[in-house]
């Protein structure tokens, strides 16, 4: 097996007479870098006569020489340092030629770069090669910089006066980890390894893939203001390369932060989140926060649509927010009419003679002018990937940060395994709200309980939510809406028990309830107290109407 050797010194060449182009290595072997000279001495104790270094298909080139690469801003001195040459192929094409050496220090291959980058090819054996430029630097030192290819290697060396170790990867970022692993022993002789890869996605992904192969604290990743070092050199910003070397940051896996990274956030005092239309619910939950998901579960006809539309009205009218509505069981026109109910205090969806067309037109005109409601017309399609893409668009192009999704179950209805589908959707949704810093309110259908049906006042539990395991894991709060539509007392038939099932924020609100009454005249919900049998009191006390925030009154505001 060949052994790794390191550069020791430069010497005169006995073949061509050059003053210092013969490179001597620690195992005794040497070779001459002079143009046209192939003098080579194998590793020996002097008993084996010198011989020329082996051919690396150099007969396909003519007139190789070290020249200035004007288009790249690379000097002849730099090219001579790395023995980077320009020659002519037998077919007449001009090419640039980079030498590569195997682990024994022998010239074993070349990388040939025609004017068309896509036409690059290699000669000889590149399977066990060192990094480009590696034989020039010996072993050990404070820092070595690793670039993606030869041109960037020449660039970074040149801006440092060709004095400090810089090497390149033979086959670019796609082979980066393999190349660095092959030469890991040599790289680890340096105190610090700086990866200066291209700033495109492929280059940065390669840097993150390579960094963990080094001992903790040794590897740093440089960040450039342009795509690569040579682009900076051509733009006259060579100093930016130097700055990037010194400012390179130690690699840490994604998700790992130091306390100093988050100090300001830690010291930021907690604040109330966005209010609910119910002051009591705002008090219990400390409001709603961006980056969280809020889940609601209720039986059929319990009043979840009334709750959501009143909350939408509060977000738009009181908080001045834009909202995105994904109501998968309603067409946008029906949703718009039900939302308009809450703004006008009218039941526009019921033909009971309690409202006029002029009143409906007035509220629709106002909402259209304010332009804060955005509806999703699904045309019967309920694909989560499409909805996620639409949410991204609404966030980036419309500035929307509050969304309503009714209902989650529809997104997995066509899947063979509904549970697995819901787990996948919830995990992706949780990532989406964090990434975009948004709020999603979602409705989940409930499984049929063993005891009293939900429509008859059966208590909602977390396990009743379809996909409850995933919903419970990823949601900040879960709520259940309960109402006994068949109760003997008509007062109870009109009261919804809004129950906090899960409070991931503080845990304090779990088990708390808010009682919501329904005003038939205005179509609005209001906070109330449960009726006491035989007390002769009115069925509801509209305490909510007296609150300053989220006020609900019987007055029509238009």
């Amino acid at each position: 097996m060949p052994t790794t050797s390191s550069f020791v010194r430069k010497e005169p060449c006995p073949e061509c007479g050059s003053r210092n182009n013969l490179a001597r290595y620690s195992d005794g072997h040497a070779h001459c870098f002079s143009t046209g000279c192939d003098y080579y001495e194998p590793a020996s104790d002097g008993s084996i006569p010198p011989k020329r270094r082996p051919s690396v298909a150099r007969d396909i080139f003519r007139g190789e020489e070290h020249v200035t690469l004007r288009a790249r801003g690379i000097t002849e001195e730099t090219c001579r340092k790395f023995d980077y040459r320009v020659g002519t192929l037998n077919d007449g094409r001009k090419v640039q030629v980079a030498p590569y050496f195997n682990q024994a220090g022998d010239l074993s291959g070349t990388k040939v770069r025609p004017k068309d980058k896509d036409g690059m090819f290699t000669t000889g054996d590149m399977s066990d090669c060192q990094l480009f430029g590696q034989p020039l630097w010996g072993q050990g030192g404070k820092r070595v910089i690793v670039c993606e290819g030869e041109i960037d290697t020449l660039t970074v060396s040149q801006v440092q006066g060709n004095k400090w170790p810089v090497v390149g990867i033979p086959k670019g970022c796609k082979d980066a980890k393999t190349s660095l692993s092959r030469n890991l022993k040599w790289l680890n002789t340096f105190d610090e390894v700086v990866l200066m890869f291209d700033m495109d996605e492929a280059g940065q992904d390669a840097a993150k893939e390579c960094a963990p192969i080094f001992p903790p604290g040794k590897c740093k990743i440089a960040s450039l203001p342009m795509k690569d070092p040579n682009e900076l050199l051509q733009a006259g910003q060579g100093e930016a390369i130097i700055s990037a070397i010194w400012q390179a940051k130690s690699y840490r896996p994604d998700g790992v932060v130091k306390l100093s990274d988050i100090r300001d956030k830690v010291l930021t005092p907690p604040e109330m989140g966005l209010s609910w239309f119910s002051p009591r619910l705002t008090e219990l939950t400390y409001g709603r926060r961006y980056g969280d998901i809020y889940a609601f579960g209720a039986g059929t006809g319990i009043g979840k649509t009334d709750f959501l539309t009143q909350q939408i009205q509060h977000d738009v009218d009181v908080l001045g927010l834009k909202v995105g509505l994904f109501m998968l069981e309603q067409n946008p026109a029906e949703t718009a009419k039900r939302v308009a109910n809450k703004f006008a205090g009218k039941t526009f969806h019921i033909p009971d003679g309690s409202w006029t067309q002029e009143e409906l037109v007035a509220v629709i005109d106002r909402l259209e002018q304010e332009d804060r409601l955005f509806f999703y017309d699904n045309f019967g399609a309920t694909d989560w990937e499409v909805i996620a893409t639409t949410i991204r668009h609404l966030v980036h192009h419309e500035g929307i940060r509050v969304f309503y999704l009714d209902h989650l179950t529809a997104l997995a209805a066509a899947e063979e395994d509904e549970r697995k589908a819901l787990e996948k959707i919830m995990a992706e949704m949780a990532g989406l709200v964090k990434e975009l810093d948004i709020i999603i309110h979602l409705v989940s259908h409930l499984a049929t309980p063993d005891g009293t049906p939900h429509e008859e006042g059966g208590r909602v539990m977390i396990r009743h939510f379809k996909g409850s395991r995933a919903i419970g894991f990823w949601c900040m709060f879960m709520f259940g809406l309960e109402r006994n539509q068949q109760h003997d007392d008509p007062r109870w038939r009109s009261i919804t028990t809004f129950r906090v099932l899960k409070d991931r924020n503080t845990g304090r609100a779990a088990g708390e309830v808010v009682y919501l009454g329904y005003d038939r005249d205005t179509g609005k919900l209001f906070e109330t107290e449960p009726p006491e049998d035989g007390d002769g009191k009115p069925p509801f006390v509209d305490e909510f109407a007296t609150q300053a925030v989220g006020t609900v009154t019987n007055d029509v505001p238009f």
Side-chain angles (χ1 to χ4, degrees), residues 53-252:
R53 55 184 173 172
S55 172
V56 191
R58 298 181 77 87
D59 58 338
I60 68 171
F61 310 113
R62 301 194 309 272
E64 291 181 78
E65 57 182 342
H66 303 119
V67 299
T68 298
L69 307 178
R70 288 187 174 83
R72 293 289 190 169
I74 305 296
T75 66
E76 179 183 339
E77 178 187 1
T78 300
C79 290
R80 190 176 297 278
K81 170 82 173 180
F82 286 82
D83 195 26
Y84 192 82
R85 309 184 186 209
V86 171
T88 305
L89 293 178
N90 288 336
D91 62 10
R93 285 183 295 161
K94 284 284 188 180
V95 293
Q96 298 171 14
V97 185
Y100 278 90
F101 301 84
N102 62 24
Q103 298 300 318
D106 299 326
L107 180 67
S108 61
T110 59
K111 185 174 178 181
V112 184
R113 183 189 186 103
K115 186 175 182 180
D116 179 8
K117 184 178 177 181
D118 293 335
M120 288 193 298
F121 64 92
T122 61
T123 72
D125 182 6
M126 299 277 286
S127 62
D128 192 38
C129 65
Q130 300 181 44
L131 301 169
F132 175 66
Q134 183 175 328
L136 298 176
W137 307 112
Q139 293 197 45
K142 176 176 175 55
R143 179 191 297 118
V144 61
I145 301 164
V146 183
C147 299
E148 271 199 32
E150 297 83 13
I151 294 296
D152 286 338
T153 303
L154 299 174
T155 298
V156 177
S157 179
Q158 182 171 296
V159 298
Q160 297 183 100
N162 293 321
K163 295 179 180 179
W164 309 109
V166 185
V167 293
I169 298 166
K171 298 179 182 179
C173 64
K174 65 181 180 180
D175 194 49
K177 186 175 181 181
T178 299
S179 297
L180 297 191
S181 297
R182 183 168 56 240
N183 296 283
L184 188 59
K185 183 177 180 181
W186 179 79
L187 290 166
N188 278 334
T189 63
F190 292 86
D191 297 338
E192 182 178 293
V193 178
V194 176
L195 305 182
M196 187 173 282
F197 292 178
D198 288 1
M199 295 304 297
D200 56 17
E201 184 178 356
Q204 292 306 294
D205 286 347
K208 292 177 182 179
E209 182 183 23
C210 291
I213 71 175
F214 296 96
K218 181 179 287 288
C219 183
K220 293 185 176 182
I221 298 177
S223 180
L224 300 169
M226 299 180 76
K227 178 179 178 292
D228 57 45
N230 191 250
E231 191 171 303
L232 284 166
L233 180 65
Q234 293 180 62
Q237 299 183 41
E239 71 282 354
I241 301 173
I242 303 296
S243 296
I245 294 172
W246 288 101
Q247 294 172 11
K249 295 183 179 180
S250 295
Y251 167 76
R252 290 201 301 266

Side-chain angles (χ1 to χ4, degrees), residues 186-497:
W186 179 79
L187 290 166
N188 278 334
T189 63
F190 292 86
D191 297 338
E192 182 178 293
V193 178
V194 176
L195 305 182
M196 187 173 282
F197 292 178
D198 288 1
M199 295 304 297
D200 56 17
E201 184 178 356
Q204 292 306 294
D205 286 347
K208 292 177 182 179
E209 182 183 23
C210 291
I213 71 175
F214 296 96
K218 181 179 287 288
C219 183
K220 293 185 176 182
I221 298 177
S223 180
L224 300 169
M226 299 180 76
K227 178 179 178 292
D228 57 45
N230 191 250
E231 191 171 303
L232 284 166
L233 180 65
Q234 293 180 62
Q237 299 183 41
E239 71 282 354
I241 301 173
I242 303 296
S243 296
I245 294 172
W246 288 101
Q247 294 172 11
K249 295 183 179 180
S250 295
Y251 167 76
R252 290 201 301 266
D254 289 342
V256 177
V257 296
K258 297 171 64 176
L259 183 58
S260 58
D261 298 329
I262 58 174
R263 176 185 174 88
D264 291 344
K265 291 183 178 180
V266 173
L267 296 179
T268 300
E271 298 179 351
M272 290 291 290
L274 300 177
S275 61
W276 299 93
F277 76 81
S278 160
R280 176 57 178 160
L281 187 57
T282 302
E283 178 186 345
L284 289 173
T285 62
Y286 299 98
R288 299 164 291 159
R289 286 168 174 75
Y290 291 115
D292 290 341
I293 302 173
Y294 298 83
F296 303 81
T300 303
I302 299 301
K304 60 180 180 295
T305 299
D306 270 314
F307 182 91
L308 292 182
T309 51
Q310 190 157 327
Q311 187 58 50
I312 292 165
Q313 180 259 330
H314 177 83
D315 288 345
V316 173
D317 219 15
V318 178
L319 302 183
L321 302 173
K322 292 182 176 182
V323 296
L325 309 182
F326 293 78
M327 305 303 190
L328 304 182
E329 290 188 331
Q330 286 181 347
N331 62 58
E334 177 67 17
T335 301
K337 185 172 290 188
R338 286 180 176 269
V339 172
N341 289 350
K342 304 299 182 179
F343 281 87
K346 298 289 182 177
T347 54
F348 293 126
H349 67 295
I350 302 175
D352 57 3
S354 65
W355 54 274
T356 67
Q357 184 69 13
E358 288 73 19
E359 290 172 328
L360 175 58
V361 170
V363 68
I364 293 301
D365 284 347
R366 174 195 164 185
L367 295 177
E368 183 179 359
Q369 183 177 6
E370 292 179 347
D371 197 26
R372 292 177 181 166
L373 292 170
F374 293 77
F375 304 89
Y376 174 67
D377 192 346
N378 60 300
F379 297 105
T382 53
D383 187 288
W384 162 244
E385 291 184 3
V386 174
I387 289 176
T389 299
T390 305
I391 289 174
R392 288 182 186 278
H393 170 82
L394 292 173
V395 171
H396 293 301
H397 295 277
E398 300 293 348
I400 299 174
R401 297 181 66 192
V402 176
F403 295 88
Y404 290 82
L405 172 61
D406 184 5
H407 53 91
L408 172 69
T409 322
L411 301 180
E415 301 292 335
E416 291 185 8
D417 191 324
E418 184 181 61
R419 179 183 61 80
K420 287 186 177 180
L422 288 174
E423 288 178 352
K424 179 176 182 293
I425 291 169
M426 284 304 305
E428 293 179 0
M429 188 183 298
L432 189 70
V433 296
K434 295 297 184 186
E435 173 197 341
L436 301 177
D437 197 28
I438 61 177
I439 291 173
I440 291 181
H441 309 80
L442 66 84
V443 172
S444 171
H445 278 188
L446 302 178
T448 303
D450 295 333
T452 305
H454 296 119
E455 293 75 18
E456 296 181 14
R459 181 167 175 173
V460 177
M461 300 181 181
I462 291 178
R463 61 185 174 87
H464 294 157
F465 283 63
K466 290 190 176 182
S468 59
R469 181 176 178 181
I471 296 173
F473 186 82
W474 293 112
C475 289
M476 181 60 66
F477 280 86
M478 294 179 69
F479 306 107
L481 284 77
E482 305 158 3
R483 182 161 63 90
N484 187 351
Q485 302 177 69
Q486 306 301 319
H487 200 286
D488 293 336
D489 188 333
R491 298 175 300 175
W492 271 113
R493 291 202 296 268
S494 298
I495 291 180
T496 297
T497 301

Side-chain angles (χ1 to χ4, degrees), residues 5-23:
S5 63
S6 60
F7 172 79
V8 176
R9 61 181 177 274
K10 293 183 178 180
E11 301 176 358
C13 176
E15 180 77 12
C16 68
S18 69
R19 185 173 60 85
N20 64 353
N21 278 354
L22 183 74

